[in-house]
Amino acid sequence: MRNHRSARSASLLTAARRMLLPLAVVLAVLATSGWITRTESPAPGTWTAELQGWQRHALAGVPLADADAPPQEIAQFFGTLGHRKQLLLAERFPLVVGNLDGAPAEVRYAANRHALLRARAQERERMRDERLSPAGQHEAGRRMHRFDSLLRDDRQILAFDPHGRGRAAEVFGDLDLARRISVVVPGVDTDLLTFERTRLKYRAPSGMAEALHEEQQATRTAGNTAVIAWADYTSPRGVGVAAATGDLAKEGAERLADTVRGLPGESTVALFCHSYGSVVCGLSAERLPGRVTDIAVSGSPGMRVSHAGELGTDARVWAARAGNDWVGDLPHLAVGPLGHGIDPVHPSFGARRLGAGPTGGHAGYFVPGSDSLRNFARIGVGDLDALRWDADMAYCAPEGPMGRSVWNTRHIPAERRTHVSVGAYDDSHG
């Protein structure tokens, strides 16, 4: 009798497993496709449709420029159009025009406003989509409010892509009138939802760029400046394997170079690269145009070279790290694809080493009032004389790719090197 019951129980258990297995497969498919736990935006059908429309469209029988053309060709194409036609293209193909490096800034702002309006409407619908989980609906609400914020009249959105985690870039100042342009390149966990913050404002890309622009305008030699919060690449999520490799940085480096090549006018450009953003800048350096005069990294895990002279640029390379930044505890190594190499603040790297002073840790370099932000602002406006140098700085200046010394503090008169400032350089030198 007991054996009969055991056999029956085993049979029932087997039958239950057979019924549950297909159900588990269905649930897994639903989860991975987003019907149950989906939180990200829909598949990029809108972008594909717009791009196909752009490729088929013509103005007076003349095809539009190739969306993959270099920024110079895009600029030439838009230069042949009247302002009205430019704005018509921005309205009809907002996701294409809003992300075309080389297109006029004002036209891109207009295009991205159209794209944001559509994206906000889509997220508002998704908030009420019963097919989404509560978490997915909540995420849609967060995105909707983010788009609402980016649509404020005072925002200048240079790039916007709502698909997946999303990408964006915002301008502070006037790009067309600026004598000097600064580009802030952020690190891990950067997407549309983290692009700006209410709390800890200056730890997010938009706040970082805003603080830098305001600090630049407060300097005595500012003139017209503009700062770009450039979060127009897919960054790693968290400090995991993706953050320890350069795969995402390589794609970001190409996008960054295109952005800089597409900037209007002939103004000089300085890059301010934070955390993983310094990996992006390191890989982008040799692709950057000559108008880039400075690359400043902060909280850097490395730039994937062993020496600043190997970056392939004549730009001055600066490095800063606060004493309470946990990045200093990382092993700055490169083993196969893992790791980003020598610590940029190490004397052997050959960067111009800026002291950060006391900061809020790894994410505090752009907080108003910090020594690091004041130094970044002066680099951005080209006011290097305002920096104070350590009297004992026998600085190891790296050589540029042409074999000449890029820069050395020894040319500074002795009277200007007698001041020691925690906000300018730290107390150890190469």
Side-chain angles (χ1 to χ4, degrees):
M1 186 69 175
R2 184 175 298 172
N3 291 338
H4 176 72
R5 288 179 178 174
S6 298
R8 185 180 178 186
S9 298
S11 177
L12 290 173
L13 182 60
T14 301
R17 285 175 175 171
R18 287 175 179 172
M19 288 188 296
L20 289 173
L21 181 59
L23 180 60
V25 173
V26 171
L27 289 173
V29 171
L30 290 173
T32 55
S33 63
W35 289 105
I36 293 178
T37 59
R38 183 175 186 173
T39 59
E40 292 189 344
S41 62
T46 307
W47 161 255
T48 301
E50 274 198 23
L51 184 59
Q52 292 173 346
W54 174 272
Q55 293 168 341
R56 293 192 300 265
H57 198 71
L59 290 173
V62 179
L64 305 183
D66 186 344
D68 292 325
Q72 295 84 349
E73 292 184 21
I74 297 297
Q76 291 172 1
F77 166 72
F78 275 90
T80 66
L81 305 178
H83 190 59
R84 179 174 172 275
K85 288 183 178 180
Q86 292 177 353
L87 293 180
L88 284 174
L89 289 177
E91 183 177 3
R92 184 162 185 175
F93 307 105
L95 287 176
V96 176
V97 176
N99 295 285
L100 275 182
D101 292 313
E106 292 295 334
V107 177
R108 291 180 67 174
Y109 300 157
N112 286 318
R113 186 167 185 82
H114 289 301
L116 278 161
L117 286 168
R118 296 180 186 179
R120 182 178 65 176
Q122 290 172 354
E123 295 302 330
R124 186 175 285 121
E125 290 182 6
R126 294 180 69 241
M127 288 172 60
R128 299 186 292 268
D129 191 339
E130 295 181 354
R131 296 171 298 177
L132 294 180
S133 67
Q137 293 175 334
H138 175 71
E139 191 83 351
R142 293 180 65 200
R143 289 169 63 89
M144 190 274 290
H145 289 298
R146 172 64 66 247
F147 300 159
D148 201 42
S149 175
L150 294 176
L151 278 165
R152 286 202 326 257
D153 290 341
D154 61 338
R155 309 296 289 267
Q156 299 179 129
I157 307 304
L158 187 68
F160 171 69
D161 182 355
H163 300 111
R165 293 164 56 203
R167 298 191 291 253
E170 181 177 12
V171 175
F172 295 87
D174 191 323
L175 275 183
D176 294 314
L177 297 180
R179 290 175 50 250
R180 296 181 179 274
I181 297 174
S182 298
V183 183
V184 175
V185 184
V188 300
D189 288 324
T190 297
D191 54 37
L192 281 173
L193 290 179
T194 61
F195 183 70
E196 63 178 351
R197 295 178 179 177
T198 302
R199 290 183 62 252
L200 303 175
K201 174 180 178 178
Y202 302 107
R203 298 178 177 229
S206 180
M208 293 160 68
E210 181 182 356
L212 181 59
H213 184 247
E214 290 180 354
E215 186 71 25
Q216 288 180 352
Q217 292 303 111
T219 64
R220 58 185 174 85
T221 59
N224 287 322
T225 67
V227 180
I228 302 174
W230 189 83
D232 195 21
Y233 80 106
T234 301
S235 71
R237 273 185 161 170
V239 187
V241 174
T245 65
D247 293 343
L248 292 176
K250 290 177 183 177
E251 178 191 359
E254 294 178 5
R255 299 179 67 86
L256 177 60
D258 284 343
T259 295
V260 175
R261 285 196 294 265
L263 293 176
E266 300 179 354
S267 54
T268 59
V269 178
L271 305 183
F272 296 89
C273 320
H274 177 249
S275 191
Y276 190 82
S278 64
V279 184
V280 176
C281 291
L283 292 174
S284 185
E286 65 181 2
R287 302 182 178 94
L288 297 171
R291 65 192 295 188
V292 177
T293 59
D294 297 270
I295 300 175
V297 302
S298 55
S300 174
M303 301 183 75
R304 299 193 78 81
V305 293
S306 59
H307 191 274
E310 298 173 3
L311 289 170
T313 176
D314 278 332
R316 292 177 289 260
V317 180
W318 310 80
R321 188 176 67 227
N324 58 348
D325 188 340
W326 55 262
V327 166
D329 298 325
L330 294 177
H332 285 79
L333 302 171
V335 181
L338 297 176
H340 304 301
I342 299 296
D343 187 345
V345 301
H346 192 276
S348 65
F349 188 78
R352 297 145 187 78
R353 295 161 55 214
L354 288 166
T359 72
H362 183 64
Y365 292 95
F366 291 82
V367 173
S370 64
D371 292 336
S372 51
L373 181 63
R374 281 192 290 267
N375 280 330
F376 293 163
R378 281 152 180 76
I379 292 170
V381 301
D383 191 10
L384 302 187
D385 287 340
L387 297 173
R388 294 184 177 183
W389 314 100
D390 190 329
D392 296 326
M393 175 174 285
Y395 179 67
C396 307
E399 290 188 347
M402 305 305 293
R404 64 181 184 275
S405 177
V406 184
W407 192 76
N408 196 301
T409 62
R410 292 176 187 269
H411 74 284
I412 299 174
E415 61 270 18
R416 289 204 55 78
R417 287 189 278 120
T418 57
H419 300 284
V420 179
S421 171
V422 175
Y425 283 86
D426 62 17
D427 59 1
S428 60
H429 311 288

